[in-house]
Amino acid sequence: MKNSNIKHQKGMTLIELMASMVVLSILVTVAVPAMKSLFERKNIDEVGKFFERSIKLARTEAINRSAVVRIQPTSGSRDWSQGWFIEYTKADGSAEVIRTFPALSGNPTFDSPTFDGTTVFEILPNGQARTLGSFNLFSPSTCTIGSTTYQVLLSGILQKGLAACP
């Protein structure tokens, strides 16, 4: 038995390899759409956290500078997905941009029916918001899950909620 001429197979046969590839392709076909919606939802959550931090920055700047700080969309309209900036008016009357935030990656819808370019989102020197309003954030391809909403409270803090897709 020790010196037998039986050759041990190493590796896989072509048929086994083809069967493995078919099973793998079926799994990938089923898993990719589910993973795509998971990644888009995760992206929406990260955008929301990013926006909340930018509003906290604006509140901090308003309190530290003892000045009214404005948060405005870069687009000048109700579309905030193109980015936004924080600014304040100096003593000489000129406006100084504190920070600019870039357009959002992916294709999320981020808008505000209240802060639409004509009504400005302002934080007073005491950290409170001058105008109450709301923001809507969702991904059009995963909107069946729902839309994330942010309500601007009098305290200048955002309250996160969920709503039906528009």
Side-chain angles (χ1 to χ4, degrees):
M1 284 303 246
K2 290 182 182 178
N3 294 331
S4 77
N5 289 335
I6 300 174
K7 294 182 180 180
H8 294 286
Q9 178 182 347
K10 296 180 181 177
M12 299 172 64
T13 65
L14 181 60
I15 294 173
E16 291 170 333
L17 180 64
M18 289 175 57
S20 301
M21 294 306 290
V22 167
V23 170
L24 181 65
S25 65
I26 291 171
L27 287 174
V28 168
T29 304
V30 171
V32 167
M35 294 300 289
K36 182 180 178 197
S37 66
L38 175 70
F39 287 130
E40 286 179 354
R41 186 66 194 168
K42 183 74 173 162
N43 184 37
I44 293 297
D45 292 340
E46 291 302 316
V47 167
K49 290 176 186 174
F50 181 68
F51 183 64
E52 288 180 57
R53 286 191 303 266
S54 67
I55 300 305
K56 288 178 183 176
L57 171 67
R59 289 186 73 231
T60 302
E61 291 292 332
I63 293 168
N64 289 343
R65 296 174 190 261
S66 295
V68 175
V69 172
R70 293 175 298 283
I71 305 105
Q72 299 185 60
T74 305
S75 66
S77 67
R78 67 181 283 163
D79 181 16
W80 287 67
S81 65
Q82 300 304 311
W84 58 92
F85 60 93
I86 300 172
E87 70 176 3
Y88 80 104
T89 304
K90 297 195 294 190
D92 64 1
S94 64
E96 180 180 322
V97 175
I98 297 169
R99 184 156 179 207
T100 302
F101 298 91
L104 303 177
S105 62
N107 193 20
T109 299
F110 185 40
D111 64 7
S112 174
T114 311
F115 306 110
D116 56 3
T118 56
T119 303
V120 180
F121 185 2
E122 293 180 319
I123 304 291
L124 301 173
N126 62 3
Q128 293 182 337
R130 177 168 284 169
T131 306
L132 304 180
S134 63
F135 293 90
N136 302 312
L137 174 62
F138 63 94
S139 176
S141 61
T142 61
C143 198
T144 55
I145 298 169
S147 171
T148 303
T149 61
Y150 293 94
Q151 296 292 326
V152 178
L153 304 177
L154 182 61
S155 63
I157 296 174
L158 297 176
Q159 182 179 24
K160 183 179 177 180
L162 292 174
C165 294

